Amino acid sequence: MYYNNNTIIYYNGNFVKASEASTNLYGQSLHYGYAVFEGIKSYKTDGGTKIFKAKEHYDRLRRSAELMHIPFEYTTDELTSLSYEVLERNGLSDAYLRPIVLCSPNMALSKGKESYLAIEAWEWSNGYMANKMRIMTSTFERPNPKAFKVEAKVSGHYVNSILACQEAKDAGYDEALVLDSNGFVAESSGANVFYEKNGTLYTPSKGSILPGITRATVLEICAELDIPIEEKLFKPEEMRGADAAFFCGTAAEVLALDSLDDVPFTRNWDDSLSATVQKAYSNLVLGKNLEEFKLQLR
Ligand code: PMP
């Protein structure tokens, strides 16, 4: 469960019990999905509890609010220290943080007048990531970038994610690979995607994706480790049967894929460059620098 009787959240200026917090039923956030949010992870590191990429996540939250014309005054520093306080008050280390910016009561189709911030957190360790995922090409497309601000993390966008993810599960797969409106691979329901072929990694260019913070971290890792990487548009045919592939996101971290539409990725995962990226990422989130990891690779 996400909370119990002792769980504390930050809500609208105060630290309150999750079980006692409530929201108004006459708002655009609930009725129209007009809210912005983030998904952030904290880790127990040698130097104490650390929120990974707090600045990047809170800069994106503020940018998402701005793109949606939702008034939102908190600074990234304030948001970060409130988040540490939520973790501390709940005794959490390995956790998932979910800040959400909700709009005040208003049923009109006009911009938000005031917003409320909630920061929720619950325990999360990534032990379940052992199995490689079987994925299918979704029959749903990602939201058209001319109809939405796809670079913003907006609640309403996730109705598309639910449809795609549930379709895949109902068909016996673990997740969906969702294309853009031109048939190019975009991303998963809640993660970005990479595939590996002949010693190069490929990932969809920006345009129809949520440009993930983990995706950016993977690009940094590749630059640091001299792993060739190309951002480009490609069709699922190009990805099927590649050497290896993975999803990446704050929650997913770097998650190995088994097959796309029942066509397996061919390389032994542990021998792939993708596996090296996965290991480097797990070092980074624990606050270790890549120099040490590079030495281990030699
Ligand atoms: N795409 C979508 C649709 C997502 O929901 C997420 C998760 N936020 C991502 C990509 C990955 O983003 P990030 O690495 O910033 O978590």
Side-chain angles (χ1 to χ4, degrees), residues 57 60 142 153 158 187-192 210 212-214 248-250:
H57 282 285
R60 185 169 69 187
R142 287 299 290 161
K153 200 162 163 66
Y158 283 81
E187 58 191 329
S188 179
S189 61
N192 292 114
L210 181 79
I213 290 161
T214 319
C248 71
T250 301

Side-chain angles (χ1 to χ4, degrees), residues 60-287:
R60 185 169 69 187
L61 183 67
R62 293 170 58 234
R63 176 84 184 127
S64 296
E66 189 183 321
L67 286 168
M68 288 297 113
H69 316 292
I70 294 175
F72 186 58
E73 300 300 331
Y74 291 85
T75 65
T76 293
D77 283 349
E78 284 166 346
L79 292 162
T80 305
S81 60
L82 288 170
S83 301
Y84 275 109
E85 191 163 349
V86 169
L87 292 174
E88 205 176 306
R89 283 178 183 250
N90 291 289
L92 292 168
S93 272
D94 285 315
Y96 183 82
L97 288 134
R98 172 52 66 86
I100 182 160
V101 182
L102 303 163
C103 289
S104 55
N106 172 19
M107 300 283 261
L109 297 178
S110 53
K111 69 181 181 186
K113 295 192 175 86
E114 271 173 34
S115 69
Y116 305 143
L117 167 68
I119 304 177
E120 299 153 7
W122 56 90
E123 195 175 338
W124 185 307
S125 40
N126 271 30
Y128 70 96
M129 297 299 179
N131 292 334
K132 292 201 284 179
M133 283 200 163
R134 297 175 55 248
I135 64 166
M136 66 167 262
T137 306
S138 184
T139 66
F140 293 99
E141 291 172 356
R142 287 299 290 161
N144 177 345
K146 289 185 181 153
F148 291 93
K149 304 274 187 190
V150 292
E151 69 274 36
K153 200 162 163 66
V154 180
S155 298
H157 296 179
Y158 283 81
V159 176
N160 171 262
S161 297
I162 291 173
L163 290 172
C165 181
Q166 191 59 48
E167 178 193 49
K169 295 216 154 106
D170 287 345
Y173 296 88
D174 300 310
E175 251 300 351
L177 182 71
V178 193
L179 310 185
D180 69 14
S181 41
N182 296 313
F184 293 108
V185 171
E187 58 191 329
S188 179
S189 61
N192 292 114
V193 64
F194 284 72
Y195 77 87
E196 173 180 339
K197 208 179 239 178
N198 301 329
T200 299
L201 294 184
Y202 299 90
T203 195
S205 336
K206 291 182 191 176
S208 291
I209 60 170
L210 181 79
I213 290 161
T214 319
R215 175 184 180 276
T217 308
V218 167
L219 296 180
E220 278 164 34
I221 290 172
C222 290
E224 191 73 30
L225 301 184
D226 292 325
I227 295 175
I229 163 89
E230 206 181 305
E231 294 173 66
K232 66 168 191 176
L233 294 177
F234 57 86
K235 299 268 167 99
E237 296 84 272
E238 216 175 306
M239 183 172 162
R240 260 181 232 125
D243 298 340
F246 59 88
F247 282 158
C248 71
T250 301
E253 301 189 326
V254 174
L255 190 52
L257 301 181
D258 171 77
S259 56
L260 169 58
D261 302 320
D262 299 318
V263 182
F265 296 105
T266 54
R267 195 140 191 210
N268 180 13
W269 174 257
D270 292 330
D271 301 332
S272 67
L273 292 171
S274 303
T276 305
V277 169
Q278 186 184 46
K279 285 191 211 108
Y281 187 79
S282 54
N283 274 272
L284 275 184
V285 295
L286 295 179

